Amino acid sequence: MQLNNLFKCIKLVINKLFFLLLEKHTRLFYQVNIKILTFTRFVTAILIVAFHYGRLSFPFNLKEIFPILMQMNITMSYFFVLSGFVLIIAYYNKEITLFQFFKNRFARIYPTFIFIALLVLIASWFKKLTVDFFLVISLIHAWIPGKGTAFNVHSWTVSVEVFFYLLFPFLIYVYKKYKLNSVAFSILTFWLISQIIFYLVITRKINLPYYNSSDIFYLPIFHLNEFLIGNLTGLVFLNKFSYYKNNNGLKIFSLLLLLLILLYFDFGRYSNNGLFAIIFAVLIILLSTSTDKITEFFSKKLFVVLGHLTYGLYLYQYPIGVFLNNERLNVLFKQDLGLTIPFYIKLTTLIIVSFFSYFLIEKPARNYILKK
Protein backbone atom coordinates (compact mmCIF):
# COMPACT_ATOMS: atom_id res chain seq x y z
CA MET A 1 0.00 0.00 0.00
CA GLN A 2 2.83 2.38 0.91
CA LEU A 3 4.63 1.43 -2.31
CA ASN A 4 1.53 2.29 -4.35
CA ASN A 5 1.28 5.65 -2.61
CA LEU A 6 4.96 6.29 -3.35
CA PHE A 7 4.42 5.53 -7.05
CA LYS A 8 1.41 7.84 -7.09
CA CYS A 9 3.45 10.65 -5.55
CA ILE A 10 6.27 10.13 -8.05
CA LYS A 11 3.76 10.11 -10.92
CA LEU A 12 2.15 13.28 -9.59
CA VAL A 13 5.52 15.05 -9.35
CA ILE A 14 6.52 13.95 -12.88
CA ASN A 15 3.21 15.16 -14.31
CA LYS A 16 3.58 18.47 -12.50
CA LEU A 17 7.12 18.94 -13.84
CA PHE A 18 5.97 18.00 -17.32
CA PHE A 19 3.22 20.60 -17.37
CA LEU A 20 5.57 23.24 -15.94
CA LEU A 21 8.11 22.49 -18.68
CA LEU A 22 5.34 22.47 -21.27
CA GLU A 23 4.11 25.87 -20.05
CA LYS A 24 7.66 27.25 -20.19
CA HIS A 25 8.16 25.83 -23.68
CA THR A 26 4.90 27.36 -24.88
CA ARG A 27 5.81 30.74 -23.42
CA LEU A 28 9.25 30.71 -25.06
CA PHE A 29 7.76 29.51 -28.32
CA TYR A 30 5.34 32.44 -28.39
CA GLN A 31 8.17 34.86 -27.66
CA VAL A 32 10.29 33.54 -30.53
CA ASN A 33 7.60 33.18 -33.15
CA ILE A 34 5.35 36.15 -32.42
CA LYS A 35 8.22 38.65 -32.56
CA ILE A 36 8.27 38.55 -36.36
CA LEU A 37 4.65 39.74 -36.37
CA THR A 38 5.68 42.80 -34.37
CA PHE A 39 8.14 43.74 -37.12
CA THR A 40 5.51 43.24 -39.85
CA ARG A 41 3.53 46.00 -38.15
CA PHE A 42 6.43 48.37 -38.81
CA VAL A 43 6.62 47.34 -42.48
CA THR A 44 2.88 47.79 -43.00
CA ALA A 45 2.97 51.14 -41.17
CA ILE A 46 5.69 52.40 -43.55
CA LEU A 47 3.59 51.23 -46.50
CA ILE A 48 0.51 53.10 -45.26
CA VAL A 49 2.61 56.26 -44.74
CA ALA A 50 3.87 55.90 -48.33
CA PHE A 51 0.27 55.40 -49.47
CA HIS A 52 -0.77 58.64 -47.77
CA TYR A 53 2.24 60.88 -48.44
CA GLY A 54 4.69 59.20 -50.82
CA ARG A 55 2.70 58.37 -53.92
CA LEU A 56 4.69 60.72 -56.14
CA SER A 57 8.06 59.88 -54.59
CA PHE A 58 10.67 57.43 -55.84
CA PRO A 59 10.41 54.43 -56.03
CA PHE A 60 6.66 54.46 -55.36
CA ASN A 61 5.98 56.58 -58.45
CA LEU A 62 7.40 53.93 -60.80
CA LYS A 63 4.75 52.49 -63.08
CA GLU A 64 5.57 48.97 -61.84
CA ILE A 65 5.05 49.91 -58.18
CA PHE A 66 2.46 52.69 -58.26
CA PRO A 67 -0.59 50.43 -58.91
CA ILE A 68 0.34 48.30 -55.90
CA LEU A 69 0.98 51.29 -53.67
CA MET A 70 -2.42 52.71 -54.52
CA GLN A 71 -4.00 49.68 -52.88
CA MET A 72 -1.95 49.77 -49.70
CA ASN A 73 -5.07 50.81 -47.82
CA ILE A 74 -5.40 47.04 -47.30
CA THR A 75 -2.64 47.32 -44.70
CA MET A 76 -5.26 48.58 -42.25
CA SER A 77 -7.08 45.31 -42.79
CA TYR A 78 -3.87 43.49 -41.87
CA PHE A 79 -3.60 45.55 -38.67
CA PHE A 80 -7.15 44.65 -37.64
CA VAL A 81 -6.67 40.94 -38.38
CA LEU A 82 -3.37 40.96 -36.47
CA SER A 83 -5.03 42.77 -33.57
CA GLY A 84 -7.66 40.04 -33.29
CA PHE A 85 -4.97 37.36 -33.44
CA VAL A 86 -2.73 38.94 -30.80
CA LEU A 87 -5.59 39.47 -28.33
CA ILE A 88 -6.51 35.78 -28.53
CA ILE A 89 -2.89 34.74 -27.97
CA ALA A 90 -2.58 37.13 -25.05
CA TYR A 91 -5.87 36.48 -23.23
CA TYR A 92 -7.49 33.20 -24.27
CA ASN A 93 -5.65 31.06 -21.71
CA LYS A 94 -5.22 33.82 -19.16
CA GLU A 95 -7.42 34.54 -16.17
CA ILE A 96 -7.98 38.28 -16.00
CA THR A 97 -10.75 40.50 -14.69
CA LEU A 98 -12.77 42.76 -16.95
CA PHE A 99 -11.30 45.78 -15.19
CA GLN A 100 -7.73 44.55 -15.75
CA PHE A 101 -8.41 43.94 -19.44
CA PHE A 102 -9.81 47.42 -20.06
CA LYS A 103 -7.04 49.00 -17.98
CA ASN A 104 -4.45 47.19 -20.11
CA ARG A 105 -6.09 48.40 -23.30
CA PHE A 106 -6.48 51.96 -21.99
CA ALA A 107 -2.82 52.06 -20.96
CA ARG A 108 -1.83 50.76 -24.37
CA ILE A 109 -3.60 53.28 -26.58
CA TYR A 110 -4.79 56.35 -24.71
CA PRO A 111 -1.70 58.20 -23.36
CA THR A 112 -0.09 58.62 -26.81
CA PHE A 113 -3.47 59.25 -28.41
CA ILE A 114 -4.40 62.09 -26.06
CA PHE A 115 -0.87 63.54 -26.22
CA ILE A 116 -1.02 63.79 -30.03
CA ALA A 117 -4.54 65.22 -29.89
CA LEU A 118 -3.37 67.93 -27.51
CA LEU A 119 -0.32 68.53 -29.71
CA VAL A 120 -2.52 69.10 -32.76
CA LEU A 121 -4.78 71.36 -30.69
CA ILE A 122 -1.87 73.51 -29.49
CA ALA A 123 -0.31 73.61 -32.98
CA SER A 124 -3.57 75.06 -34.29
CA TRP A 125 -3.48 77.74 -31.56
CA PHE A 126 -6.65 76.15 -30.18
CA LYS A 127 -8.60 76.93 -33.35
CA LYS A 128 -9.48 73.22 -33.49
CA LEU A 129 -11.09 73.32 -30.05
CA THR A 130 -14.48 72.40 -31.45
CA VAL A 131 -16.94 69.58 -30.96
CA ASP A 132 -14.69 67.47 -33.21
CA PHE A 133 -11.94 67.54 -30.59
CA PHE A 134 -14.26 66.15 -27.91
CA LEU A 135 -15.62 63.49 -30.26
CA VAL A 136 -12.07 62.38 -31.05
CA ILE A 137 -10.76 62.23 -27.47
CA SER A 138 -13.87 60.26 -26.49
CA LEU A 139 -12.96 57.80 -29.30
CA ILE A 140 -16.44 57.67 -30.80
CA HIS A 141 -15.81 59.82 -33.87
CA ALA A 142 -15.69 56.93 -36.37
CA TRP A 143 -19.36 56.26 -35.58
CA ILE A 144 -20.46 59.86 -36.24
CA PRO A 145 -21.44 60.74 -39.83
CA GLY A 146 -18.81 62.99 -41.41
CA LYS A 147 -16.46 62.82 -38.40
CA GLY A 148 -14.38 59.70 -39.12
CA THR A 149 -11.35 61.72 -40.24
CA ALA A 150 -11.98 64.74 -38.02
CA PHE A 151 -9.14 66.47 -36.19
CA ASN A 152 -6.38 63.88 -36.71
CA VAL A 153 -7.22 62.32 -40.08
CA HIS A 154 -5.91 58.83 -39.31
CA SER A 155 -7.23 58.45 -35.77
CA TRP A 156 -10.38 56.71 -36.95
CA THR A 157 -8.58 53.37 -36.63
CA VAL A 158 -8.24 53.86 -32.86
CA SER A 159 -11.99 54.41 -32.62
CA VAL A 160 -12.44 51.13 -34.50
CA GLU A 161 -10.01 49.33 -32.17
CA VAL A 162 -11.91 50.56 -29.10
CA PHE A 163 -15.06 49.01 -30.55
CA PHE A 164 -13.18 45.70 -30.84
CA TYR A 165 -11.95 45.96 -27.25
CA LEU A 166 -15.48 46.51 -25.95
CA LEU A 167 -16.69 43.38 -27.74
CA PHE A 168 -13.71 41.15 -26.98
CA PRO A 169 -14.65 39.97 -23.44
CA PHE A 170 -18.03 38.82 -24.77
CA LEU A 171 -16.42 37.22 -27.83
CA ILE A 172 -13.88 35.26 -25.79
CA TYR A 173 -16.72 33.93 -23.63
CA VAL A 174 -18.45 32.66 -26.77
CA TYR A 175 -15.24 31.13 -28.13
CA LYS A 176 -14.75 29.14 -24.93
CA LYS A 177 -18.35 27.98 -24.85
CA TYR A 178 -18.60 26.58 -28.39
CA LYS A 179 -16.47 24.19 -30.42
CA LEU A 180 -13.90 25.57 -32.83
CA ASN A 181 -15.76 24.24 -35.89
CA SER A 182 -18.93 26.11 -34.89
CA VAL A 183 -16.99 29.30 -34.18
CA ALA A 184 -15.12 29.01 -37.50
CA PHE A 185 -18.33 28.49 -39.47
CA SER A 186 -20.01 31.49 -37.80
CA ILE A 187 -17.04 33.83 -38.33
CA LEU A 188 -16.48 32.82 -41.95
CA THR A 189 -20.19 33.24 -42.67
CA PHE A 190 -20.13 36.69 -41.05
CA TRP A 191 -17.06 37.59 -43.14
CA LEU A 192 -18.79 36.54 -46.37
CA ILE A 193 -22.00 38.40 -45.53
CA SER A 194 -19.91 41.49 -44.63
CA GLN A 195 -18.28 41.46 -48.06
CA ILE A 196 -21.64 41.27 -49.81
CA ILE A 197 -23.24 44.02 -47.71
CA PHE A 198 -20.18 46.26 -48.05
CA TYR A 199 -20.27 45.87 -51.83
CA LEU A 200 -23.98 46.67 -51.97
CA VAL A 201 -23.50 49.75 -49.77
CA ILE A 202 -20.56 51.30 -51.60
CA THR A 203 -22.22 50.65 -54.98
CA ARG A 204 -25.30 52.39 -53.53
CA LYS A 205 -27.60 49.42 -54.09
CA ILE A 206 -28.28 49.77 -50.36
CA ASN A 207 -28.42 53.21 -48.75
CA LEU A 208 -27.56 53.73 -45.10
CA PRO A 209 -29.45 56.64 -43.53
CA TYR A 210 -27.32 59.57 -42.31
CA TYR A 211 -24.03 58.13 -43.65
CA ASN A 212 -22.54 59.22 -46.97
CA SER A 213 -20.40 56.99 -49.17
CA SER A 214 -17.05 58.01 -47.61
CA ASP A 215 -18.30 57.44 -44.02
CA ILE A 216 -18.68 53.74 -44.74
CA PHE A 217 -14.92 53.18 -44.95
CA TYR A 218 -14.41 54.36 -41.35
CA LEU A 219 -17.50 52.86 -39.73
CA PRO A 220 -16.31 50.31 -37.10
CA ILE A 221 -19.04 47.76 -37.77
CA PHE A 222 -17.75 47.28 -41.32
CA HIS A 223 -14.32 46.29 -39.97
CA LEU A 224 -15.56 43.82 -37.38
CA ASN A 225 -15.19 40.89 -39.80
CA GLU A 226 -11.43 41.57 -39.99
CA PHE A 227 -11.06 41.44 -36.22
CA LEU A 228 -13.12 38.24 -36.04
CA ILE A 229 -10.96 36.62 -38.72
CA GLY A 230 -7.98 37.54 -36.55
CA ASN A 231 -9.67 35.93 -33.54
CA LEU A 232 -10.31 32.79 -35.55
CA THR A 233 -6.67 32.76 -36.68
CA GLY A 234 -5.59 32.91 -33.03
CA LEU A 235 -7.95 30.08 -32.05
CA VAL A 236 -6.70 27.90 -34.93
CA PHE A 237 -3.12 28.68 -33.97
CA LEU A 238 -3.66 27.66 -30.33
CA ASN A 239 -5.55 24.50 -31.26
CA LYS A 240 -3.56 23.30 -34.26
CA PHE A 241 -0.23 25.06 -34.61
CA SER A 242 1.03 26.20 -31.19
CA TYR A 243 3.79 23.56 -31.19
CA TYR A 244 4.24 23.40 -34.95
CA LYS A 245 7.61 24.55 -36.28
CA ASN A 246 8.68 24.56 -39.89
CA ASN A 247 10.77 26.39 -42.45
CA ASN A 248 7.99 28.46 -44.03
CA GLY A 249 10.21 30.89 -45.96
CA LEU A 250 9.18 29.64 -49.41
CA LYS A 251 5.49 29.49 -48.46
CA ILE A 252 5.60 33.04 -47.09
CA PHE A 253 7.36 34.32 -50.22
CA SER A 254 4.83 32.54 -52.46
CA LEU A 255 1.89 33.97 -50.53
CA LEU A 256 3.31 37.52 -50.67
CA LEU A 257 3.94 37.10 -54.40
CA LEU A 258 0.34 35.99 -54.88
CA LEU A 259 -0.85 39.03 -52.93
CA LEU A 260 1.28 41.38 -55.08
CA ILE A 261 -0.11 39.81 -58.27
CA LEU A 262 -3.66 40.28 -56.97
CA LEU A 263 -2.94 43.91 -56.12
CA TYR A 264 -2.09 44.62 -59.77
CA PHE A 265 -5.82 44.33 -60.36
CA ASP A 266 -7.61 47.50 -59.37
CA PHE A 267 -9.93 46.56 -56.51
CA GLY A 268 -10.51 50.22 -55.76
CA ARG A 269 -12.06 50.60 -52.32
CA TYR A 270 -13.78 47.22 -52.44
CA SER A 271 -10.85 45.82 -50.46
CA ASN A 272 -11.40 48.20 -47.52
CA ASN A 273 -13.62 45.75 -45.69
CA GLY A 274 -11.38 42.70 -45.21
CA LEU A 275 -11.47 41.31 -48.73
CA PHE A 276 -7.94 39.97 -48.19
CA ALA A 277 -8.46 39.01 -44.54
CA ILE A 278 -8.22 35.26 -45.25
CA ILE A 279 -4.87 35.73 -47.00
CA PHE A 280 -3.62 37.77 -44.04
CA ALA A 281 -4.78 35.03 -41.67
CA VAL A 282 -2.77 32.40 -43.55
CA LEU A 283 0.24 34.75 -43.62
CA ILE A 284 0.05 35.27 -39.86
CA ILE A 285 -0.05 31.50 -39.23
CA LEU A 286 2.94 30.95 -41.53
CA LEU A 287 4.95 33.72 -39.87
CA SER A 288 4.02 32.55 -36.38
CA THR A 289 5.17 28.99 -37.01
CA SER A 290 8.22 29.70 -39.15
CA THR A 291 11.77 28.96 -38.02
CA ASP A 292 13.68 29.86 -41.19
CA LYS A 293 16.75 32.10 -41.07
CA ILE A 294 14.95 35.17 -42.44
CA THR A 295 12.22 34.89 -39.80
CA GLU A 296 14.83 34.49 -37.07
CA PHE A 297 16.74 37.52 -38.38
CA PHE A 298 13.69 39.79 -38.33
CA SER A 299 12.82 38.56 -34.84
CA LYS A 300 15.91 40.25 -33.39
CA LYS A 301 15.52 43.01 -30.83
CA LEU A 302 16.17 45.90 -33.25
CA PHE A 303 13.30 44.88 -35.51
CA VAL A 304 10.98 44.21 -32.58
CA VAL A 305 11.69 47.74 -31.31
CA LEU A 306 10.83 49.11 -34.75
CA GLY A 307 7.56 47.18 -34.54
CA HIS A 308 6.76 48.87 -31.23
CA LEU A 309 6.97 52.27 -32.95
CA THR A 310 4.02 51.43 -35.18
CA TYR A 311 1.34 53.13 -33.10
CA GLY A 312 3.26 56.41 -33.11
CA LEU A 313 4.13 56.07 -36.79
CA TYR A 314 0.49 55.87 -37.65
CA LEU A 315 -0.82 58.66 -35.42
CA TYR A 316 2.03 61.15 -35.91
CA GLN A 317 1.97 60.97 -39.72
CA TYR A 318 -0.75 63.59 -40.10
CA PRO A 319 0.67 66.32 -37.79
CA ILE A 320 4.20 65.78 -39.16
CA GLY A 321 2.87 65.75 -42.73
CA VAL A 322 1.15 69.08 -42.11
CA PHE A 323 4.06 70.66 -40.24
CA LEU A 324 6.72 69.53 -42.75
CA ASN A 325 4.74 70.24 -45.88
CA ASN A 326 6.63 70.59 -49.15
CA GLU A 327 6.31 74.37 -49.30
CA ARG A 328 7.76 74.82 -45.82
CA LEU A 329 10.65 72.45 -46.58
CA ASN A 330 11.44 74.31 -49.82
CA VAL A 331 11.61 77.57 -47.88
CA LEU A 332 13.72 75.99 -45.15
CA PHE A 333 16.27 74.56 -47.61
CA LYS A 334 15.97 77.59 -49.95
CA GLN A 335 15.48 75.44 -53.04
CA ASP A 336 12.89 73.30 -54.78
CA LEU A 337 13.41 69.84 -53.30
CA GLY A 338 10.98 68.16 -55.68
CA LEU A 339 8.73 65.44 -54.33
CA THR A 340 11.00 62.56 -53.28
CA ILE A 341 13.35 64.32 -50.83
CA PRO A 342 10.53 65.96 -48.78
CA PHE A 343 8.83 62.59 -48.36
CA TYR A 344 11.95 60.96 -46.95
CA ILE A 345 12.56 63.94 -44.66
CA LYS A 346 9.04 63.48 -43.32
CA LEU A 347 9.49 59.71 -43.01
CA THR A 348 12.81 60.04 -41.17
CA THR A 349 11.34 62.65 -38.85
CA LEU A 350 8.31 60.44 -38.27
CA ILE A 351 10.46 57.46 -37.26
CA ILE A 352 12.61 59.59 -34.91
CA VAL A 353 9.57 61.23 -33.29
CA SER A 354 7.85 57.84 -32.90
CA PHE A 355 11.01 56.41 -31.30
CA PHE A 356 11.20 59.12 -28.64
CA SER A 357 7.44 59.07 -28.17
CA TYR A 358 7.48 55.32 -27.48
CA PHE A 359 10.26 55.46 -24.90
CA LEU A 360 9.38 58.80 -23.29
CA ILE A 361 5.57 58.80 -23.43
CA GLU A 362 3.92 55.57 -24.53
CA LYS A 363 5.93 53.02 -22.54
CA PRO A 364 6.37 55.04 -19.29
CA ALA A 365 2.70 56.06 -19.27
CA ARG A 366 1.59 52.48 -19.84
CA ASN A 367 3.80 51.18 -17.04
CA TYR A 368 2.58 53.91 -14.69
CA ILE A 369 -1.09 53.18 -15.37
CA LEU A 370 -0.64 49.42 -15.03
CA LYS A 371 1.00 49.82 -11.63
CA LYS A 372 -1.95 51.81 -10.31
Side-chain angles (χ1 to χ4, degrees), residues 40-50 75 79 310 313-314 317:
T40 64
R41 293 172 59 220
F42 176 79
V43 175
T44 49
I46 295 298
L47 289 173
I48 198 66
V49 172
T75 54
F79 276 123
T310 303
L313 284 172
Y314 191 76
Q317 62 176 313

Side-chain angles (χ1 to χ4, degrees), residues 193-294:
I193 293 172
S194 295
Q195 302 312 304
I196 295 171
I197 293 176
F198 184 73
Y199 174 80
L200 293 175
V201 169
I202 64 174
T203 55
R204 298 185 179 181
K205 292 180 173 61
I206 295 178
N207 291 317
L208 293 182
Y210 307 111
Y211 293 98
N212 61 41
S213 56
S214 62
D215 290 332
I216 305 306
F217 303 110
Y218 314 114
L219 200 58
I221 193 67
F222 280 106
H223 293 282
L224 179 59
N225 73 92
E226 298 160 327
F227 182 73
L228 294 180
I229 290 292
N231 286 170
L232 177 59
T233 308
L235 294 171
V236 171
F237 177 82
L238 292 176
N239 280 271
K240 308 291 184 182
F241 296 100
S242 58
Y243 305 108
Y244 178 81
K245 297 180 181 180
N246 200 9
N247 187 337
N248 292 332
L250 182 59
K251 296 176 183 177
I252 293 169
F253 175 79
S254 300
L255 188 61
L256 290 175
L257 183 61
L258 172 63
L259 183 60
L260 289 176
I261 292 171
L262 288 174
L263 291 178
Y264 258 102
F265 298 93
D266 186 7
F267 288 93
R269 306 198 77 175
Y270 299 115
S271 60
N272 274 41
N273 184 42
L275 185 63
F276 294 102
I278 304 297
I279 294 178
F280 293 145
V282 176
L283 178 62
I284 289 169
I285 291 289
L286 290 175
L287 287 168
S288 300
T289 58
S290 184
T291 57
D292 61 84
K293 296 297 182 182
I294 296 177

Side-chain angles (χ1 to χ4, degrees), residues 322-343 345-346:
V322 171
F323 181 73
L324 294 180
N325 59 63
N326 290 14
E327 292 77 11
R328 185 168 290 164
L329 288 173
N330 288 339
V331 171
L332 181 64
F333 286 90
K334 299 179 180 178
Q335 60 178 305
D336 186 357
L337 297 176
L339 296 172
T340 298
I341 293 176
F343 169 69
I345 291 175
K346 295 172 193 175

